[in-house]
Amino acid sequence: MEHKNSVVYQIYVKSFYDSNGDGIGDLNGIRAKLPYLKSLGVDYIWVTPFFPSPMFDNGYDVADYCAVNPMFGTMADCEAMIAEADKLGIGFMFDMVFNHTSWDHEWFKKALTGDPEYMDYYIFRDGVDGKPPLDWTASFGTPAWEYVPNLDKWYLHLFDKSQPDLNWENPKVRDALKDVIRFWKGKGVKGFRFDVLNLVSKPEHLEQCGSGSGASYCKDGHRIHEFIREMVTDTGIENMVTVGEMASTTLENCIRYSNPESRELAMCFNFHHLKVDYKNGDKWALMPPDLAQLHGIFRQWQEEMSRRGGWNAVFWCNHDQPRIVSRFGDEGEYWKQSAKMLGTFIHFLRGTPYVYQGEELGMTNAHYTTIEQYNDVECINYYKILLERGLSEQDALEVLAQRSRDNSRTPMQWSAGRNAGFTDGSPWLEIPANYSFINVEAEEDDPDSILHYYRTLIKLRKEYPIIAEGEVRFLETGNERVFAYERSLDGQRLTVVCSFSGQNEAANVDLKPGTLLLCNGASDQMARLENGTLALRPYEAFAVLN
Ligand code: TEU
Ligand code: CA
C-alpha cells in the first residue's frame, strides 16, 4: 500500500502562513508554501479544519462541512490549492469532524427550534430532577450535558458546549456525513483524517452509564466497526489515505480499524505514548516522562501491530500536544541533537510518519507567562480548575506552560524577520522569542540543521524499502534511557539506537558492522563500541544497515 511509503505533513492552517496580513494563516498561505513542502519531500498534507465555524475550538466546531471559512479564504482558493499541490505530486487530506458539529450548524439550529427530525440528529435527553441525565464531564473540563430551556431537554457534548455530539444511530446523519466525504473527494482530495472517530458510537443503554469522563463510556462503542466500514465502503475511499483519531483505544481495536481485511481505515492515531508524563493519568499534573513506560508502549504496539497486520500513524506532535523537543528532548545545549534523535526514533519505526509544522525546525513550547497570552478553550478552562484545586497562579501557569495546546499552535517560524515571517500584520497568537534562530531561513543555510536532517529522514524512506515494509523488533539494551529496535526485510537488517538522555550513557546492543545510514552527530562522534558495550553521547541516535 502506498501509504506505507509515505510521509504526511500536518498544517494547522491558522498558524502556518498568512498571505493577506490579517494575522491569521490561510489557504493562500498554504499555496504559497507548497514549494517548501515539496522540498521537504512529503507526500500528503493533512490540513486542520478551515470550514465555516464560530471558532470556539479553532475550527473543530464546524458550522458547514462543505464550504470555506472566509477567515481562511474562498472555495476558489481551496480548489487552486488542491490543483497546485496535485501538480507537485502532493495530496491533501482534509479533516472530517464527524463526532459533533458546531452549535451554529443549521442542523443544530433547527434542532433547537424543537424540529423532531433535527433533534434526532443529536443526543437530547430529559434531565433527572432538574439535573443532567448523567453526571458526565466533557474533555475540556466542563459538564458534558447542556440544558436547553425552551425544549426542557439536555444535549450531549463530549467537548465544548458549542460542539453538540451527533447521533450516529440515525441513518440520516450517517448519510449526510457520507455526502461530505463525496463532496471533498469530488474536489480532488486524496485522503481524510477523521477527528475523534472512535467516539461516535454511543453506549446502547446510555441512561444506565455511570458517572465520570463521558468519552470513556463512548470509546470504541458497540457499533464502531460497522459504522466505519459503512462510511468507508459507501463513499469508496477504501484505497485512499485515511487516518482515524482514536482516543484511548485498545491495541485490539486498532488492529481491526487498520487491518486491510476489515475494510475500515488505512491507519490510526493513538496517544498512549503521549501520556507517560501525566501524573496519575492527569494531563494537568506534571511529572517527568516515565521512559520505561514509554519504551514498553512502543514495544508492545509496534510488535503486535506488525505481527497481526495493523498499521499505525507514528508521530510525536500535533496541534493538541506540546512541542516534543521541549517535552522529551532538550531546549538548551542539546536542542539540535535531541530534536534529531526524536525524529530518528519516529521515522524508522513501522508505520506512516507524521511531521507537524515546525517540528522539522525543532520549534519549542511557547513559554507564556500570563493567562492573557493563551487562546485555547481547554487550557483557559483548566486554568480556572487548577486555581479551584488550590494551585497558586504561578503554579497553574507553570502547568499551562508545559501542557497547553497553544504550545504547538504558535505561528510557524519562517525567518528571523518581523513576526518570524509569518505575517505582515499582528499574529493572532504570540510568537516565541527563539524565532531569531529557530526558523526556516536560518536552517536552510545550515547544512547541519534539524530541517536538513528531516529531509534526509524522509528521503531514506523512499530509498530503502526496509523502512516502509520491514518487520520490527525491540531490543533489550540494559539501559532504560536507551531505546533500540531492529527492522528486518528479506535478510536485511536495520538497527536503530536512540538515547533519550542528556548524559553519556552505556548500553548493550549487538551491533554488527554495516553501513551507517544516518547519525545525529559528526561521524567521529558516533557511538563507540567498547567490549560489546556502546558508549553514547547525550541524545545520540543512529541507524546501521546490515
Ligand atoms: O482532539 C481530540 C482529543 O481527545 C484530544 O487530543 C484533546 O484535544 C486532548 O485530549 C485534550 O486534552 C480532537 C482535535 O484534534 C482537537 O483539536 C479538538 O479540540 C477535539 O478533537 C474536538 O474536536
Ligand atoms: Ca490571513
Side-chain angles (χ1 to χ4, degrees), residues 219-418:
K219 66 174 186 203
D220 306 319
H222 66 299
R223 295 186 70 186
I224 188 66
H225 294 283
E226 173 202 337
F227 285 164
I228 295 178
R229 187 195 299 205
E230 179 192 292
M231 175 181 81
V232 166
T233 53
D234 284 4
T235 56
I237 57 169
E238 285 131 292
N239 297 317
M240 294 180 88
V241 183
T242 52
V243 56
E245 189 200 24
M246 304 305 189
S248 305
T249 187
T250 61
L251 181 51
E252 212 60 43
N253 275 301
C254 259
I255 292 167
R256 231 176 119 184
Y257 292 134
S258 61
N259 187 315
E261 278 169 25
S262 38
R263 302 174 73 198
E264 295 181 27
L265 301 169
M267 62 190 125
C268 301
F269 288 118
N270 65 72
F271 301 97
H272 301 284
H273 62 298
L274 296 173
K275 295 181 179 171
V276 298
D277 52 2
Y278 291 6
K279 197 172 175 184
N280 304 319
D282 179 0
K283 171 172 174 172
W284 307 97
L286 301 179
M287 178 180 94
D290 179 339
L291 292 178
Q293 198 192 353
L294 184 69
H295 184 267
I297 291 167
F298 273 115
R299 164 178 233 155
Q300 191 198 10
W301 280 74
Q302 283 280 304
E303 292 181 357
E304 284 286 296
M305 295 287 271
S306 174
R307 210 165 55 76
R308 296 168 58 197
W311 191 258
N312 251 341
V314 285
F315 69 101
W316 288 125
C317 301
N318 66 30
H319 63 292
D320 296 331
Q321 298 291 330
R323 291 285 181 178
I324 201 62
V325 72
S326 308
R327 192 173 179 187
F328 297 168
D330 176 30
E331 284 187 7
E333 188 179 356
Y334 301 114
W335 166 65
K336 239 187 213 185
Q337 282 92 333
S338 64
K340 291 179 182 177
M341 181 281 287
L342 291 161
T344 310
F345 181 74
I346 285 295
H347 282 252
F348 290 123
L349 285 174
R350 181 179 175 279
T352 301
Y354 283 64
V355 179
Y356 175 67
Q357 63 184 48
E359 177 186 346
E360 76 277 22
L361 308 175
M363 274 178 61
T364 68
N365 281 349
H367 298 292
Y368 296 154
T369 52
T370 64
I371 190 65
E372 290 73 30
Q373 288 166 295
Y374 288 94
N375 169 276
D376 181 33
V377 53
E378 184 197 41
C379 78
I380 290 169
N381 286 352
Y382 270 95
Y383 180 67
K384 292 187 204 111
I385 294 170
L386 291 174
L387 295 182
E388 280 158 23
R389 282 185 196 168
L391 266 71
S392 67
E393 277 177 26
Q394 200 186 339
D395 287 349
L397 286 169
E398 177 55 28
V399 173
L400 261 53
Q402 292 200 40
R403 295 293 150 86
S404 169
R405 305 194 295 180
D406 286 330
N407 282 311
S408 55
R409 299 177 180 187
T410 61
M412 177 75 174
Q413 296 169 192
W414 294 102
S415 74
R418 192 167 155 256

Side-chain angles (χ1 to χ4, degrees), residues 21 44 48 78 193 233 238 357 377 411 452 470 498:
Y44 294 97
T48 55
C78 180
R193 181 253 187 197
T233 53
E238 285 131 292
Q357 63 184 48
V377 53
H452 286 299
C498 293

